[in-house]
Amino acid sequence: RGPIQTRSGHRAAGGQQTEVERGADGLYLRATAPPPADLFAPSIDKLFRSAAEACGDHIVAVVLTGMGDDGSRALPDVRSRGGKTIAESSETAIISGMPNAAVKTGAVMEVLPLHDIAPAIRRLCVSGV
């Protein structure tokens, strides 16, 4: 499938929500102002959910170092649509809150040190396993 494009005037910026949408001619990123109730902006959960909806089993969601649990709530959605999931291991995560929260969901397929994540993404994209 082709690269993700941005709609005219949209760009991923801090303080905005970024979501993936499927258009008639491919995938697009949509950046919007977050509603006041959103805890994180940008939110990895919103990005992963929208990407899972737009891409189905053609998504690899990766949770890397970070504080909190952003990203973990969307991983079951990614898995239920056939997507693949990876979390960075505590051995290389500078801050392991986000990857540990992701692992606790039970929706993470692989927990890997940072240096093994890029080869795993390639393997999942090429062979699917």
Side-chain angles (χ1 to χ4, degrees):
R1 305 196 186 208
I4 296 177
Q5 307 167 51
T6 59
R7 297 249 186 236
S8 178
H10 288 248
R11 59 186 184 92
Q16 292 190 319
Q17 297 300 2
T18 305
E19 296 175 283
V20 177
E21 63 182 21
R22 180 169 295 284
D25 56 345
L27 297 172
Y28 289 89
L29 283 179
R30 177 182 58 220
T32 59
D38 282 0
L39 184 59
F40 303 109
S43 166
I44 302 305
D45 281 315
K46 285 194 178 218
L47 177 64
F48 283 174
R49 278 194 184 105
S50 67
E53 184 176 323
C55 302
D57 64 350
H58 295 283
I59 179 178
V60 178
V62 180
V63 179
L64 300 172
T65 188
M67 290 187 285
D69 63 357
D70 190 25
S72 64
R73 289 176 296 281
L75 291 178
D77 294 339
V78 171
R79 292 293 301 131
S80 72
R81 293 177 181 268
K84 312 299 189 274
T85 55
I86 299 171
E88 182 179 2
S89 69
S90 295
E91 81 181 64
T92 58
I94 295 169
I95 302 171
S96 59
M98 284 173 60
N100 286 346
V103 170
K104 287 178 185 175
T105 68
V108 172
M109 296 172 62
E110 298 183 63
V111 180
L112 301 169
L114 184 60
H115 58 272
D116 289 338
I117 291 176
I121 293 169
R122 184 177 197 299
R123 174 180 43 81
L124 289 168
C125 290
V126 171
S127 69
V129 292

